[in-house]
Amino acid sequence: MHRRILTALLTLSVAGCATTKPAETPPTETPPTAQQSQTPAPDAEAFRDQQPKPGKPPELVLPTFEQAKLDNGLTVIVSTRKELPLVFVGIAFAAGGSQEPAAKLGIADLSYRMLLEGAGKRDTVALDNAFADLGVSPALSVDPDGAFVGARVLTTNVDAAMSLLSDVVLRPTFDAKAFERRKKQQLGELVRRMGDPNFLAQQAYYQAVFGADHPYGHTSGGTPKTVESLTLADAKSFYTKNTGPRAAALIMTGDVTLQQAVEWGKKYFGGWKGGAVAPKPPPAPPAPPRQLVRVVPKPGLEQTVVLVGRPGLATGHPDEFPLELATTVFGGFFGSRLNMNIREDKGYSYGANAHLGTRLGVGPLTAYAAVRKDVTGPALNEFIKELAGIKSNPITEKELAAAREGLIRAFPGAFETVEGLGVSAANLYFHRRPMDEFKRTVEGLEKASAAEVQRVAESYLDPANMQVVLVGDPLVIQEQVTPLNLGKLTLEETPASK
């Protein structure tokens, strides 16, 4: 009873405290002074009126490449980087797709890719497992000027990787069953590519720029007809004829020195023999005035692929650096003249670009866009107008500065990994360039004068010498392009029909 009374009293007491409020003093407002009433509140968005100033750009650091030669003629190229215990090891071959006989297009791809289909005492699976035991999967690429096979490994696994690589290069098995499987894969890839308008455009473009019989006049991989006719004997013959220590380079980048690379080279490749030598550069093609507009028919295609270009120059040419800058101003980055016209102003395409493809021989100088089919004619007309505008509207110092900075600042991206260093070293070998080529390139881009850039721009970007390839609906192209009077429209065969 007493407990219930005490509880009730406590409950009332707490409730009373909760409902009783102290008296509140009304707030008093102080009238603003004259000075306060005249000062506006700061604008929280005012910082947007002034563009932030960029910080100081980091210093450009270029890798160092070193070179040596073994007694048997094998070139050794090294770029040392000690930050991580990683090494890229590879072999670069001096013969690429440009060395294929005209009747056997695709043999370079097929022959080199057989290297990873069994070597030494290992078949395809055993060889793949041996690389997997080292935690790697080897990569292989075939380009017009060479081929490259290699892998990135831990420093502790370099010796084991070199042993496998020597088997791959010196003792490939060229197994018959593996060859047939690889050949079917290549044919399947070609069938897939036949449906890609960009591939069809590229194939027709190389023929237009270089000529069908030129070593650079075709894409890699061949055609269904040529690949179907290839034999195992063809693959062995191509490899034997085009490879050897005097036509190859051992590439090692990362946690390795030139002295170490030479020792590994002697150990695993010192006994390599063969009479092959690095091939000569392909002959320079002519650059005649345009007479035709080549059309690859793809009825119903919602876009038209536009390729405009001509032979450019070989790597090492005195005009290389000024032309690289001129091409960049014309179409080599987002703010370029071509892209700002075709994409930003007209809205004809998601993007338009231009590229100077330097090679061991003369490479292609190319402008490209995929445009809506309903604006095929107007878009092509803008290509021609922008090319002509290089002369009537000379390149400005502001445009040149943007192109120069963009090209130079992009260099570190190629050297971020030991694999990137390896690819860069292989390209030095493919193109027969000196070991300080990247330093020379930066200096060349920095020193190229506005007058030089304008001179090469007017010489190489003359629209009259630019070949035109279009892939799209032939009726749309005929209706819209014929009035432009750029040349006779000519239908091109697709690779599948050859």
Side-chain angles (χ1 to χ4, degrees):
M1 180 67 176
H2 293 290
R3 183 177 299 170
R4 288 199 298 270
I5 294 173
L6 182 58
T7 300
L9 291 174
L10 287 174
T11 302
L12 289 173
S13 175
V14 171
C17 292
T19 56
T20 303
K21 297 182 179 179
E24 296 182 357
T25 305
T28 59
E29 298 184 1
T30 304
T33 64
Q35 182 177 3
Q36 289 175 328
S37 63
Q38 294 176 2
T39 303
D43 183 0
E45 300 294 315
F47 73 95
R48 301 185 187 278
D49 295 336
Q50 186 172 359
Q51 183 177 352
K53 294 181 179 180
K56 184 179 179 181
E59 181 183 356
L60 178 63
V61 179
L62 297 173
T64 299
F65 294 89
E66 301 175 278
Q67 180 177 257
K69 273 203 174 183
L70 303 188
D71 291 340
N72 63 351
L74 180 67
T75 299
V76 179
I77 301 178
V78 170
S79 183
T80 302
R81 178 179 289 175
K82 293 286 189 177
E83 293 94 332
L84 295 171
L86 295 172
V87 179
F88 183 87
V89 298
I91 291 289
F93 301 96
S98 63
Q99 300 305 306
E100 295 174 332
K104 299 184 184 298
L105 298 182
I107 191 60
D109 267 63
L110 191 52
S111 181
Y112 283 123
R113 295 190 188 283
M114 284 300 297
L115 299 183
L116 298 179
E117 296 290 346
K121 297 180 179 180
R122 300 178 178 89
D123 61 11
T124 304
V125 175
L127 181 62
D128 190 62
N129 287 340
F131 277 108
D133 288 342
L134 302 180
V136 302
S137 180
L140 189 147
S141 62
V142 182
D143 299 314
D145 293 325
F148 192 31
V149 60
R152 179 191 66 180
V153 297
L154 291 171
T155 305
T156 53
N157 291 334
V158 171
D159 198 73
M162 288 289 289
S163 178
L164 287 175
L165 188 63
S166 66
D167 272 347
V168 165
V169 173
L170 304 183
R171 292 170 286 276
T173 59
F174 282 95
D175 177 74
K177 289 184 179 179
F179 173 81
E180 291 301 325
R181 183 180 68 253
R182 173 57 66 179
K183 179 178 171 179
K184 287 181 180 179
Q185 289 176 346
Q186 190 158 323
L187 284 168
E189 174 63 14
L190 285 171
V191 170
R192 184 194 67 80
R193 293 168 78 180
M194 292 304 121
D196 183 356
N198 294 297
F199 170 74
L200 297 176
Q202 190 180 55
Q203 180 76 357
Y205 174 71
Y206 285 151
Q207 291 187 16
V209 169
F210 296 106
D213 297 328
H214 191 275
Y216 289 157
H218 59 87
T219 54
S220 65
T223 69
K225 182 178 179 180
T226 60
V227 173
E228 185 64 52
S229 68
L230 298 178
T231 65
L232 179 61
D234 292 330
K236 289 181 179 179
S237 176
F238 181 90
Y239 188 72
T240 302
K241 178 182 177 181
N242 291 286
T243 63
R246 291 185 294 164
L250 169 62
I251 307 294
M252 300 190 74
T253 58
D255 186 18
V256 61
T257 65
L258 180 61
Q259 181 179 354
Q260 290 173 320
V262 167
E263 291 303 315
W264 268 312
K266 290 178 180 178
K267 179 179 178 181
Y268 289 105
F269 294 96
W272 190 9
K273 298 178 182 179
V277 296
K280 295 180 180 180
R290 179 186 61 258
Q291 296 180 334
L292 305 175
V293 173
R294 294 169 172 84
V295 179
V296 181
K298 287 285 286 184
L301 196 66
E302 290 301 315
Q303 288 184 316
T304 300
V305 177
V306 180
L307 275 173
V308 177
R310 55 158 290 167
L313 42 73
T315 185
H317 191 284
D319 288 342
E320 180 179 359
F321 305 133
L323 185 55
E324 187 75 63
L325 289 164
T327 305
T328 302
V329 170
F330 170 68
F333 69 115
F334 187 86
S336 66
R337 293 185 178 190
L338 185 64
N339 190 65
M340 295 303 287
N341 182 341
I342 298 294
R343 173 192 161 108
E344 294 299 287
D345 183 39
K346 304 296 190 305
Y348 292 161
S349 171
Y350 285 116
N353 60 71
H355 173 66
L356 176 63
T358 51
R359 297 180 178 180
L360 176 62
V362 172
L365 173 58
T366 310
Y368 164 87
V371 303
R372 301 195 324 263
K373 74 174 182 180
D374 62 305
V375 294
T376 298
L380 180 56
N381 192 48
E382 294 303 320
F383 269 75
I384 302 302
K385 285 173 60 176
E386 287 296 344
L387 288 166
I390 290 290
K391 187 173 183 178
S392 60
N393 182 22
I395 294 172
T396 67
E397 288 290 347
K398 182 178 180 181
E399 289 177 314
L400 183 56
R404 199 190 315 269
E405 181 178 19
L407 288 171
I408 293 175
R409 294 299 172 191
F411 263 85
F415 312 127
E416 289 179 336
T417 64
V418 292
E419 297 97 313
L421 282 173
V423 171
S424 299
N427 283 326
L428 292 178
Y429 179 70
F430 294 154
H431 298 155
R432 324 282 168 80
R433 304 309 300 155
M435 294 297 101
D436 64 346
E437 175 70 358
F438 297 109
K439 178 182 177 182
R440 293 175 67 255
T441 299
V442 171
E443 292 175 351
L445 293 172
E446 289 176 337
K447 294 178 180 179
S449 68
E452 288 179 298
V453 173
Q454 185 63 32
R455 173 184 62 81
V456 300
E458 293 183 15
S459 175
Y460 289 88
L461 297 176
D462 183 350
N465 292 335
M466 289 287 189
Q467 306 303 318
V468 175
V469 172
L470 304 172
V471 180
D473 192 307
L475 296 179
V476 172
I477 292 173
Q478 182 179 20
E479 179 183 358
Q480 297 189 25
V481 176
T482 300
L484 301 179
N485 295 317
L486 297 176
K488 180 182 178 181
L489 268 63
T490 305
L491 291 180
E492 294 285 298
E493 290 183 289
T494 63
S497 63
K498 296 181 180 180

